[in-house]
């Protein structure tokens, strides 16, 4: 099922970019740990931290989407379409 391309202005763009850059650094750190044959449990702890950081990005994006895109769509009378889109997103998470 093709996804329609939509664009929006991210209200917290810089904060999201900063988080993603930190995550990128963490991923490079894990690559280095693997390359240097570091202890597996230490690597797993770092991976867990990366996953947690990604969840925070995800939550922040969902919050922005709900407060802006969803709210605007409801005001414009596109409630059904937006509910379907939100349900698709939730299904992908589970």
């Amino acid at each position: 099922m093709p996804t329609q391309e939509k664009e929006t202005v991210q209200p917290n763009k810089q904060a999201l970019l900063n988080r993603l850059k930190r995550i990128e650094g963490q991923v490079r750190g894990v690559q280095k740990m693997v390359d240097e044959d570091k202890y597996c449990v230490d690597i797993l702890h770092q991976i867990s931290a990366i996953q947690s950081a990604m969840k925070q990005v995800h939550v922040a994006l969902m919050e922005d989407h709900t407060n802006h895109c969803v709210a605007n769509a409801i005001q414009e009378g596109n409630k059904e379409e937006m509910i379907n889109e939100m349900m698709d997103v939730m299904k992908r998470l589970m």
Side-chain angles (χ1 to χ4, degrees):
M1 177 162 106
T3 304
Q4 181 182 357
E5 290 271 337
K6 296 181 181 179
E7 292 184 16
T8 187
V9 175
Q10 295 296 329
N12 299 304
K13 184 177 186 173
Q14 195 55 54
L16 288 171
L17 288 172
N18 290 343
R19 280 185 177 186
L20 290 167
K21 287 175 185 176
R22 280 194 299 273
I23 293 167
E24 182 181 27
Q26 287 176 296
V27 171
R28 279 195 301 270
V30 168
Q31 289 172 324
K32 184 177 178 185
M33 290 174 79
V34 170
D35 186 50
E36 294 175 353
D37 297 319
K38 298 293 182 185
Y39 187 52
C40 294
V41 173
D42 293 337
I43 297 170
L44 291 169
H45 280 43
Q46 290 304 312
I47 291 170
S48 179
I50 292 167
Q51 289 172 325
S52 178
M54 285 301 298
K55 284 181 187 176
Q56 289 175 5
V57 169
H58 184 232
V59 168
L61 278 169
M62 285 293 292
E63 188 173 337
D64 286 346
H65 181 66
T66 303
N67 288 323
H68 297 97
C69 300
V70 173
N72 289 340
I74 290 170
Q75 288 174 351
E76 294 170 2
N78 298 326
K79 182 174 88 172
E80 289 297 320
E81 177 186 349
M82 192 52 65
I83 289 172
N84 290 336
E85 183 179 84
M86 289 296 292
M87 290 307 301
D88 286 343
V89 170
M90 296 304 291
K91 287 175 188 175
R92 288 182 201 156
L93 294 174
M94 296 180 174

Coordinates of all heavy atoms in Angstrom, one line a residue:
M1 N 0.8 -1.2 0.0 CA 0.0 0.0 0.0 C 0.9 1.2 0.0 O 1.6 1.5 0.9 CB -0.9 -0.1 1.3 CG -1.8 1.1 1.4 SD -3.1 0.8 2.6 CE -2.6 1.7 4.0
P2 N 0.9 2.0 -1.0 CA 1.7 3.2 -1.1 C 1.3 4.3 -0.1 O 0.2 4.5 0.2 CB 1.6 3.7 -2.5 CG 0.4 3.0 -3.1 CD 0.1 1.8 -2.2
T3 N 2.3 4.9 0.5 CA 2.1 6.0 1.4 C 2.1 7.3 0.7 O 3.0 7.6 0.0 CB 3.2 5.9 2.5 OG1 3.2 4.6 3.1 CG2 2.9 7.0 3.6
Q4 N 1.1 8.1 1.0 CA 1.1 9.5 0.4 C 2.1 10.3 1.1 O 2.2 10.4 2.3 CB -0.3 10.0 0.6 CG -0.5 11.4 0.0 CD -1.9 12.0 0.3 OE1 -2.7 11.3 0.8 NE2 -2.1 13.2 -0.2
E5 N 2.9 11.0 0.3 CA 3.9 12.0 0.9 C 3.2 13.2 1.4 O 2.5 13.8 0.7 CB 4.9 12.4 -0.2 CG 5.8 11.3 -0.7 CD 7.1 11.2 0.2 OE1 7.5 12.2 0.8 OE2 7.7 10.1 0.2
K6 N 3.5 13.5 2.6 CA 2.9 14.7 3.3 C 4.1 15.5 3.9 O 5.1 14.9 4.3 CB 1.9 14.4 4.3 CG 0.7 13.7 3.8 CD -0.3 13.4 4.9 CE -1.5 12.6 4.3 NZ -2.5 12.3 5.4
E7 N 4.0 16.8 4.0 CA 5.0 17.6 4.6 C 4.4 18.4 5.7 O 3.2 18.7 5.7 CB 5.7 18.5 3.5 CG 6.4 17.7 2.5 CD 7.1 18.7 1.5 OE1 7.3 19.9 1.8 OE2 7.6 18.2 0.4
T8 N 5.2 18.8 6.6 CA 4.8 19.6 7.7 C 6.0 20.4 8.2 O 7.2 20.0 8.0 CB 4.1 18.8 8.8 OG1 3.6 19.7 9.8 CG2 5.1 17.9 9.5
V9 N 5.8 21.4 9.0 CA 6.9 22.1 9.6 C 7.0 21.5 11.0 O 6.0 21.5 11.8 CB 6.5 23.6 9.7 CG1 7.6 24.4 10.5 CG2 6.4 24.2 8.3
Q10 N 8.1 21.0 11.4 CA 8.3 20.4 12.7 C 8.5 21.5 13.7 O 9.5 22.3 13.7 CB 9.6 19.5 12.7 CG 9.5 18.3 11.8 CD 8.4 17.3 12.3 OE1 8.1 17.2 13.5 NE2 7.8 16.7 11.3
P11 N 7.6 21.6 14.7 CA 7.7 22.7 15.7 C 8.9 22.6 16.6 O 9.4 23.6 17.1 CB 6.4 22.6 16.4 CG 5.9 21.2 16.2 CD 6.4 20.8 14.9
N12 N 9.4 21.4 16.8 CA 10.5 21.2 17.6 C 11.7 20.6 16.9 O 12.4 19.7 17.3 CB 10.1 20.2 18.8 CG 9.1 20.9 19.7 OD1 9.2 22.0 20.2 ND2 7.9 20.2 19.8
K13 N 11.9 21.0 15.7 CA 12.8 20.5 14.7 C 14.3 20.4 15.3 O 14.9 19.4 15.2 CB 12.8 21.3 13.4 CG 13.7 20.8 12.4 CD 13.6 21.6 11.1 CE 14.3 21.0 9.9 NZ 14.0 21.8 8.7
Q14 N 14.7 21.5 15.9 CA 16.1 21.6 16.4 C 16.3 20.6 17.5 O 17.3 19.9 17.6 CB 16.5 23.0 16.8 CG 18.0 23.1 17.0 CD 18.8 22.7 15.7 OE1 18.6 23.2 14.6 NE2 19.7 21.8 15.9
A15 N 15.3 20.5 18.4 CA 15.5 19.6 19.5 C 15.5 18.1 19.0 O 16.3 17.3 19.5 CB 14.3 19.7 20.5
L16 N 14.7 17.8 18.0 CA 14.7 16.5 17.4 C 16.0 16.2 16.7 O 16.6 15.1 16.9 CB 13.5 16.3 16.4 CG 12.1 16.2 17.0 CD1 11.1 16.3 15.9 CD2 12.0 14.9 17.8
L17 N 16.5 17.2 16.0 CA 17.8 17.0 15.3 C 18.9 16.8 16.3 O 19.8 15.9 16.1 CB 18.1 18.2 14.4 CG 17.3 18.3 13.1 CD1 17.5 19.6 12.4 CD2 17.5 17.1 12.2
N18 N 18.9 17.5 17.4 CA 19.9 17.3 18.4 C 19.9 15.9 19.0 O 20.9 15.3 19.2 CB 19.8 18.4 19.5 CG 20.1 19.8 19.1 OD1 20.8 20.0 18.0 ND2 19.6 20.8 19.8
R19 N 18.7 15.5 19.3 CA 18.6 14.1 19.9 C 19.1 13.1 18.9 O 19.8 12.1 19.2 CB 17.1 13.8 20.2 CG 16.6 14.4 21.5 CD 15.2 13.9 21.7 NE 14.7 14.4 23.0 CZ 13.6 14.0 23.6 NH1 12.8 13.2 23.0 NH2 13.3 14.5 24.8
L20 N 18.7 13.2 17.6 CA 19.1 12.3 16.6 C 20.6 12.3 16.4 O 21.2 11.2 16.2 CB 18.4 12.6 15.3 CG 16.9 12.2 15.3 CD1 16.2 12.8 14.1 CD2 16.7 10.7 15.4
K21 N 21.2 13.4 16.5 CA 22.7 13.5 16.4 C 23.4 12.8 17.5 O 24.4 12.1 17.4 CB 23.1 15.0 16.3 CG 22.8 15.6 14.9 CD 23.2 17.1 14.9 CE 22.7 17.7 13.6 NZ 22.9 19.1 13.5
R22 N 22.8 12.9 18.8 CA 23.3 12.2 19.9 C 23.2 10.7 19.7 O 24.1 9.9 20.0 CB 22.6 12.6 21.2 CG 23.1 13.9 21.8 CD 22.7 14.2 23.2 NE 21.2 14.2 23.3 CZ 20.5 15.3 23.2 NH1 21.0 16.5 22.9 NH2 19.2 15.3 23.3
I23 N 22.1 10.3 19.2 CA 21.8 8.9 18.9 C 22.8 8.4 17.9 O 23.4 7.3 18.0 CB 20.4 8.6 18.5 CG1 19.4 8.9 19.6 CG2 20.2 7.2 17.9 CD1 18.0 9.0 19.2
E24 N 23.0 9.2 16.8 CA 24.0 8.8 15.8 C 25.4 8.6 16.4 O 26.1 7.6 16.1 CB 24.1 9.9 14.8 CG 25.0 9.7 13.6 CD 25.1 10.8 12.6 OE1 24.8 12.0 13.0 OE2 25.4 10.5 11.4
G25 N 25.8 9.5 17.4 CA 27.0 9.3 18.1 C 27.1 8.0 18.9 O 28.1 7.3 19.0
Q26 N 25.9 7.7 19.5 CA 25.9 6.5 20.3 C 26.0 5.2 19.4 O 26.7 4.3 19.8 CB 24.5 6.4 21.0 CG 24.4 7.3 22.2 CD 23.0 7.2 22.8 OE1 22.0 7.6 22.2 NE2 22.9 6.8 24.1
V27 N 25.4 5.3 18.2 CA 25.5 4.2 17.3 C 27.0 4.0 16.8 O 27.5 2.9 16.8 CB 24.6 4.3 16.1 CG1 24.8 3.3 15.0 CG2 23.1 4.3 16.6
R28 N 27.6 5.1 16.6 CA 29.0 5.0 16.2 C 29.9 4.4 17.3 O 30.8 3.7 17.1 CB 29.6 6.4 15.8 CG 29.2 6.8 14.3 CD 30.0 8.0 13.8 NE 29.9 9.2 14.7 CZ 28.9 10.1 14.5 NH1 28.1 10.0 13.5 NH2 28.8 11.1 15.2
G29 N 29.5 4.8 18.6 CA 30.2 4.3 19.7 C 30.0 2.7 19.8 O 30.9 2.0 20.1
V30 N 28.8 2.3 19.5 CA 28.6 0.8 19.5 C 29.4 0.1 18.4 O 30.0 -0.9 18.6 CB 27.1 0.5 19.4 CG1 26.8 -1.0 19.1 CG2 26.3 0.9 20.7
Q31 N 29.4 0.8 17.3 CA 30.2 0.2 16.2 C 31.7 0.0 16.6 O 32.3 -1.0 16.4 CB 30.2 1.1 14.9 CG 28.8 1.0 14.2 CD 28.7 2.1 13.1 OE1 29.3 3.2 13.2 NE2 28.0 1.7 12.1
K32 N 32.2 1.1 17.3 CA 33.6 1.0 17.8 C 33.7 -0.1 18.8 O 34.8 -0.8 18.8 CB 33.9 2.4 18.4 CG 35.4 2.5 18.8 CD 35.7 3.9 19.3 CE 37.2 3.9 19.8 NZ 37.5 5.2 20.4
M33 N 32.7 -0.2 19.7 CA 32.8 -1.2 20.7 C 32.9 -2.6 20.1 O 33.7 -3.5 20.6 CB 31.6 -1.1 21.7 CG 31.6 0.1 22.6 SD 30.1 0.2 23.6 CE 30.4 -1.0 24.9
V34 N 32.1 -2.8 19.1 CA 32.1 -4.1 18.4 C 33.4 -4.3 17.7 O 34.0 -5.4 17.8 CB 30.9 -4.2 17.4 CG1 31.1 -5.5 16.5 CG2 29.6 -4.3 18.1
D35 N 33.9 -3.3 17.0 CA 35.2 -3.4 16.3 C 36.3 -3.7 17.3 O 37.3 -4.4 17.0 CB 35.5 -2.1 15.6 CG 36.7 -2.1 14.7 OD1 36.8 -3.1 14.0 OD2 37.6 -1.2 14.9
E36 N 36.2 -3.2 18.5 CA 37.3 -3.3 19.5 C 37.1 -4.5 20.4 O 37.7 -4.7 21.4 CB 37.4 -2.1 20.4 CG 37.9 -0.9 19.6 CD 37.9 0.4 20.3 OE1 37.5 0.4 21.5 OE2 38.4 1.4 19.8
D37 N 36.1 -5.4 20.1 CA 35.8 -6.6 20.8 C 35.5 -6.3 22.3 O 35.9 -7.1 23.2 CB 36.9 -7.6 20.7 CG 37.1 -8.1 19.2 OD1 36.1 -8.3 18.5 OD2 38.2 -8.2 18.8
K38 N 34.7 -5.3 22.6 CA 34.3 -5.0 23.9 C 33.4 -6.1 24.5 O 32.8 -6.8 23.7 CB 33.7 -3.6 24.0 CG 34.6 -2.5 23.6 CD 35.7 -2.3 24.6 CE 36.6 -1.2 24.2 NZ 37.8 -1.0 25.0
Y39 N 33.2 -6.1 25.8 CA 32.3 -7.1 26.4 C 30.9 -6.9 25.9 O 30.3 -5.9 25.9 CB 32.4 -6.8 27.9 CG 31.7 -7.9 28.8 CD1 32.0 -9.2 28.6 CD2 30.8 -7.5 29.8 CE1 31.4 -10.2 29.4 CE2 30.2 -8.4 30.6 CZ 30.5 -9.8 30.4 OH 29.9 -10.7 31.2
C40 N 30.3 -8.1 25.6 CA 29.0 -8.1 25.0 C 27.9 -7.4 25.9 O 27.1 -6.7 25.3 CB 28.5 -9.6 24.8 SG 29.5 -10.5 23.6
V41 N 28.0 -7.6 27.2 CA 27.0 -7.0 28.0 C 27.1 -5.4 28.0 O 26.1 -4.7 28.0 CB 27.1 -7.5 29.5 CG1 26.2 -6.7 30.4 CG2 26.8 -9.0 29.5
D42 N 28.3 -4.9 27.9 CA 28.5 -3.5 27.8 C 27.9 -3.0 26.5 O 27.2 -1.9 26.4 CB 29.9 -3.1 27.9 CG 30.5 -3.4 29.2 OD1 29.8 -3.5 30.2 OD2 31.8 -3.5 29.3
I43 N 28.0 -3.7 25.4 CA 27.5 -3.3 24.1 C 25.9 -3.4 24.2 O 25.3 -2.5 23.7 CB 28.0 -4.3 23.0 CG1 29.5 -4.1 22.8 CG2 27.3 -4.0 21.7 CD1 30.1 -5.1 21.9
L44 N 25.4 -4.4 24.8 CA 24.0 -4.5 25.0 C 23.4 -3.4 25.8 O 22.3 -2.9 25.4 CB 23.6 -5.9 25.6 CG 23.9 -7.1 24.7 CD1 23.7 -8.4 25.5 CD2 22.9 -7.1 23.5
H45 N 24.1 -2.9 26.8 CA 23.6 -1.8 27.6 C 23.6 -0.5 26.7 O 22.6 0.3 26.8 CB 24.6 -1.5 28.8 CG 24.3 -2.4 29.9 ND1 24.1 -3.7 29.8 CD2 24.3 -2.1 31.2 CE1 24.0 -4.3 31.0 NE2 24.0 -3.3 31.9
Q46 N 24.5 -0.3 25.8 CA 24.5 0.8 24.9 C 23.4 0.7 23.9 O 22.8 1.7 23.6 CB 25.9 0.9 24.2 CG 27.0 1.4 25.2 CD 26.7 2.7 25.9 OE1 26.3 3.7 25.2 NE2 26.9 2.7 27.2
I47 N 23.2 -0.5 23.4 CA 22.1 -0.7 22.5 C 20.7 -0.3 23.1 O 19.9 0.3 22.6 CB 22.1 -2.1 21.9 CG1 23.3 -2.2 21.0 CG2 20.8 -2.4 21.1 CD1 23.5 -3.7 20.5
S48 N 20.6 -0.8 24.4 CA 19.4 -0.4 25.1 C 19.2 1.1 25.3 O 18.1 1.6 25.2 CB 19.4 -1.1 26.5 OG 18.3 -0.8 27.3
A49 N 20.3 1.8 25.6 CA 20.2 3.2 25.7 C 19.8 3.9 24.4 O 19.0 4.8 24.3 CB 21.6 3.8 26.1
I50 N 20.3 3.3 23.3 CA 19.9 3.8 21.9 C 18.4 3.6 21.7 O 17.7 4.5 21.2 CB 20.8 3.2 20.8 CG1 22.2 3.6 20.9 CG2 20.2 3.5 19.4 CD1 23.2 2.8 20.1
Q51 N 18.0 2.4 22.0 CA 16.5 2.1 21.8 C 15.7 3.1 22.7 O 14.6 3.6 22.2 CB 16.2 0.7 22.2 CG 16.8 -0.3 21.2 CD 16.7 -1.7 21.6 OE1 16.8 -2.1 22.8 NE2 16.5 -2.6 20.6
S52 N 16.1 3.3 23.9 CA 15.3 4.3 24.7 C 15.3 5.7 24.2 O 14.3 6.3 24.2 CB 16.0 4.3 26.1 OG 15.3 5.2 27.0
A53 N 16.5 6.1 23.7 CA 16.5 7.4 23.0 C 15.7 7.5 21.8 O 15.0 8.5 21.6 CB 18.0 7.7 22.7
M54 N 15.6 6.5 21.0 CA 14.7 6.4 19.8 C 13.3 6.5 20.2 O 12.5 7.1 19.6 CB 15.0 5.2 19.0 CG 16.3 5.3 18.2 SD 16.4 6.7 17.0 CE 15.0 6.4 15.9
K55 N 12.9 5.8 21.3 CA 11.6 5.9 21.8 C 11.2 7.3 22.2 O 10.1 7.8 21.9 CB 11.4 4.9 23.0 CG 11.2 3.5 22.6 CD 11.0 2.6 23.8 CE 11.1 1.2 23.5 NZ 11.0 0.3 24.7
Q56 N 12.1 8.0 22.8 CA 11.9 9.4 23.2 C 11.6 10.3 21.9 O 10.8 11.1 21.9 CB 13.0 10.0 24.0 CG 13.1 9.4 25.4 CD 14.4 9.8 26.1 OE1 15.1 10.7 25.6 NE2 14.6 9.3 27.3
V57 N 12.4 10.0 20.9 CA 12.2 10.8 19.6 C 10.8 10.4 19.0 O 10.0 11.3 18.6 CB 13.3 10.4 18.6 CG1 12.9 11.0 17.2 CG2 14.6 11.0 19.0
H58 N 10.5 9.2 19.1 CA 9.2 8.7 18.6 C 8.0 9.4 19.3 O 7.1 9.9 18.7 CB 9.1 7.2 18.7 CG 7.9 6.6 18.1 ND1 7.1 5.8 18.8 CD2 7.3 6.8 16.9 CE1 6.0 5.4 18.0 NE2 6.2 6.0 16.9
V59 N 8.1 9.4 20.6 CA 7.1 10.0 21.5 C 7.0 11.5 21.2 O 5.9 12.0 21.0 CB 7.3 9.7 23.0 CG1 6.4 10.6 23.8 CG2 7.1 8.3 23.3
A60 N 8.1 12.1 21.0 CA 8.1 13.6 20.7 C 7.4 13.8 19.4 O 6.6 14.8 19.2 CB 9.5 14.1 20.8
L61 N 7.7 13.0 18.4 CA 7.1 13.2 17.1 C 5.6 12.9 17.1 O 4.8 13.6 16.5 CB 7.8 12.3 16.0 CG 9.1 12.8 15.5 CD1 9.8 11.7 14.7 CD2 8.8 14.0 14.6
M62 N 5.2 11.9 17.8 CA 3.8 11.5 17.9 C 3.1 12.7 18.6 O 2.0 13.0 18.2 CB 3.6 10.2 18.7 CG 4.0 9.0 17.9 SD 2.8 8.7 16.6 CE 1.3 8.3 17.5
E63 N 3.7 13.2 19.6 CA 3.0 14.3 20.4 C 2.9 15.6 19.4 O 1.8 16.2 19.4 CB 3.9 14.7 21.6 CG 3.2 15.7 22.5 CD 4.0 15.9 23.8 OE1 4.8 15.0 24.2 OE2 3.8 17.0 24.4
D64 N 3.9 15.9 18.7 CA 3.8 17.0 17.8 C 2.8 16.7 16.7 O 2.0 17.6 16.4 CB 5.2 17.3 17.1 CG 6.2 18.0 18.0 OD1 5.8 18.5 19.1 OD2 7.4 18.0 17.7
H65 N 2.8 15.5 16.2 CA 1.8 15.2 15.1 C 0.4 15.3 15.7 O -0.5 15.9 15.0 CB 2.1 13.7 14.7 CG 1.2 13.3 13.6 ND1 1.2 13.8 12.3 CD2 0.2 12.3 13.6 CE1 0.3 13.2 11.6 NE2 -0.3 12.3 12.3
T66 N 0.2 14.8 16.8 CA -1.2 14.8 17.4 C -1.6 16.3 17.7 O -2.7 16.7 17.3 CB -1.2 14.0 18.7 OG1 -0.8 12.7 18.4 CG2 -2.6 14.0 19.3
N67 N -0.7 17.1 18.2 CA -1.1 18.4 18.6 C -1.2 19.4 17.4 O -1.9 20.4 17.5 CB -0.1 19.0 19.6 CG -0.2 18.4 21.0 OD1 -1.3 18.1 21.4 ND2 0.9 18.2 21.6
H68 N -0.6 19.0 16.3 CA -0.6 19.9 15.2 C -1.4 19.3 14.0 O -2.4 19.8 13.6 CB 0.8 20.3 14.7 CG 1.5 21.1 15.8 ND1 2.4 20.5 16.7 CD2 1.5 22.4 16.2 CE1 2.8 21.4 17.6 NE2 2.3 22.5 17.3
C69 N -0.8 18.3 13.4 CA -1.4 17.7 12.2 C -2.8 17.1 12.5 O -3.8 17.4 11.7 CB -0.5 16.6 11.6 SG 1.1 17.2 11.2
V70 N -2.9 16.3 13.5 CA -4.2 15.7 13.8 C -5.3 16.8 14.2 O -6.4 16.8 13.7 CB -4.1 14.7 15.0 CG1 -5.5 14.1 15.4 CG2 -3.2 13.5 14.5
A71 N -4.9 17.7 15.0 CA -5.8 18.8 15.4 C -6.2 19.6 14.2 O -7.4 19.9 14.1 CB -5.1 19.7 16.4
N72 N -5.3 19.9 13.3 CA -5.7 20.7 12.1 C -6.6 19.9 11.2 O -7.6 20.4 10.6 CB -4.4 21.1 11.3 CG -3.6 22.2 12.0 OD1 -4.1 22.9 12.9 ND2 -2.4 22.3 11.7
A73 N -6.3 18.6 11.0 CA -7.2 17.7 10.2 C -8.6 17.6 10.7 O -9.6 17.7 10.0 CB -6.6 16.3 10.1
I74 N -8.7 17.5 12.0 CA -10.0 17.5 12.6 C -10.8 18.8 12.4 O -12.0 18.8 12.0 CB -9.9 17.1 14.1 CG1 -9.5 15.7 14.3 CG2 -11.3 17.4 14.9 CD1 -9.1 15.3 15.7
Q75 N -10.1 19.9 12.6 CA -10.7 21.2 12.4 C -11.1 21.4 10.9 O -12.1 22.0 10.6 CB -9.8 22.3 12.7 CG -9.6 22.5 14.2 CD -8.5 23.5 14.6 OE1 -7.8 24.0 13.7 NE2 -8.4 23.8 15.9
E76 N -10.4 20.8 10.0 CA -10.7 20.9 8.6 C -11.7 19.8 8.1 O -12.0 19.8 6.9 CB -9.4 20.8 7.7 CG -8.5 21.9 8.0 CD -7.1 21.7 7.4 OE1 -6.9 20.7 6.7 OE2 -6.2 22.6 7.5
G77 N -12.2 19.0 9.0 CA -13.2 18.0 8.7 C -12.6 16.7 8.1 O -13.3 15.9 7.5
N78 N -11.3 16.4 8.3 CA -10.7 15.2 7.8 C -10.5 14.2 8.9 O -9.5 13.5 9.0 CB -9.4 15.5 7.1 CG -9.5 16.4 5.9 OD1 -10.5 16.3 5.2 ND2 -8.6 17.3 5.7
K79 N -11.4 14.1 9.8 CA -11.3 13.3 11.0 C -11.1 11.8 10.7 O -10.2 11.2 11.3 CB -12.5 13.5 11.9 CG -12.5 12.7 13.2 CD -13.7 13.1 14.1 CE -14.8 12.2 13.7 NZ -16.0 12.3 14.6
E80 N -11.9 11.3 9.8 CA -11.8 9.8 9.5 C -10.5 9.5 8.9 O -9.9 8.5 9.3 CB -12.9 9.4 8.5 CG -14.3 9.4 9.2 CD -14.4 8.4 10.3 OE1 -13.9 7.3 10.2 OE2 -15.1 8.8 11.3
E81 N -10.0 10.3 8.0 CA -8.7 10.0 7.4 C -7.6 10.0 8.4 O -6.7 9.2 8.4 CB -8.4 11.1 6.3 CG -7.0 10.9 5.6 CD -6.7 12.1 4.7 OE1 -7.6 12.9 4.3 OE2 -5.6 12.2 4.3
M82 N -7.6 11.0 9.3 CA -6.6 11.2 10.3 C -6.6 10.0 11.3 O -5.6 9.5 11.8 CB -6.7 12.5 11.0 CG -5.5 12.8 11.9 SD -3.9 12.7 11.1 CE -4.0 14.0 9.8
I83 N -7.8 9.6 11.7 CA -8.0 8.5 12.6 C -7.4 7.2 12.0 O -6.6 6.5 12.7 CB -9.5 8.2 13.0 CG1 -9.9 9.4 14.0 CG2 -9.6 6.9 13.7 CD1 -11.4 9.4 14.3
N84 N -7.7 7.0 10.7 CA -7.1 5.8 10.0 C -5.6 5.9 10.0 O -4.9 4.9 10.2 CB -7.7 5.7 8.6 CG -9.1 5.3 8.6 OD1 -9.6 4.7 9.5 ND2 -9.8 5.7 7.5
E85 N -5.0 7.1 9.7 CA -3.6 7.2 9.7 C -3.0 7.0 11.1 O -2.0 6.3 11.2 CB -3.3 8.7 9.2 CG -1.8 8.9 9.1 CD -1.5 10.3 8.6 OE1 -1.4 11.2 9.5 OE2 -1.3 10.5 7.4
M86 N -3.6 7.5 12.1 CA -3.1 7.3 13.5 C -3.1 5.8 13.8 O -2.2 5.3 14.5 CB -3.9 8.1 14.5 CG -3.6 9.6 14.4 SD -1.9 10.0 14.8 CE -1.9 9.6 16.6
M87 N -4.2 5.1 13.5 CA -4.3 3.7 13.7 C -3.2 2.9 13.0 O -2.7 2.0 13.6 CB -5.7 3.2 13.4 CG -6.8 3.7 14.3 SD -6.5 3.4 16.1 CE -6.3 1.6 16.2
D88 N -2.9 3.3 11.8 CA -1.9 2.6 11.0 C -0.5 2.8 11.7 O 0.3 1.8 11.9 CB -1.7 3.2 9.6 CG -2.8 2.7 8.7 OD1 -3.5 1.7 9.0 OD2 -3.1 3.3 7.6
V89 N -0.3 4.0 12.2 CA 1.0 4.2 13.0 C 1.0 3.4 14.2 O 2.0 2.8 14.5 CB 1.1 5.7 13.4 CG1 2.2 6.0 14.3 CG2 1.3 6.6 12.1
M90 N -0.1 3.3 15.0 CA -0.1 2.5 16.2 C 0.1 1.1 15.9 O 0.8 0.4 16.7 CB -1.5 2.7 16.9 CG -1.7 4.2 17.4 SD -0.3 4.8 18.5 CE -0.6 3.8 19.9
K91 N -0.5 0.6 14.8 CA -0.3 -0.9 14.5 C 1.1 -1.2 14.2 O 1.6 -2.3 14.5 CB -1.2 -1.2 13.3 CG -2.7 -1.3 13.6 CD -3.5 -1.5 12.3 CE -5.0 -1.4 12.6 NZ -5.8 -1.4 11.4
R92 N 1.8 -0.2 13.5 CA 3.3 -0.5 13.2 C 4.1 -0.5 14.5 O 5.2 -1.2 14.5 CB 3.8 0.6 12.3 CG 3.3 0.5 10.9 CD 3.8 1.6 10.0 NE 3.0 1.7 8.9 CZ 2.9 2.8 8.1 NH1 3.6 3.8 8.4 NH2 2.0 2.8 7.1
L93 N 3.7 0.2 15.5 CA 4.4 0.2 16.8 C 4.3 -1.1 17.5 O 5.2 -1.5 18.3 CB 3.9 1.3 17.7 CG 4.2 2.7 17.2 CD1 3.5 3.7 18.1 CD2 5.7 3.0 17.1
M94 N 3.2 -1.8 17.3 CA 2.9 -3.0 18.1 C 3.4 -4.3 17.5 O 3.7 -4.4 16.4 CB 1.4 -3.1 18.4 CG 0.9 -2.0 19.2 SD -0.8 -2.2 19.5 CE -1.1 -0.8 20.6

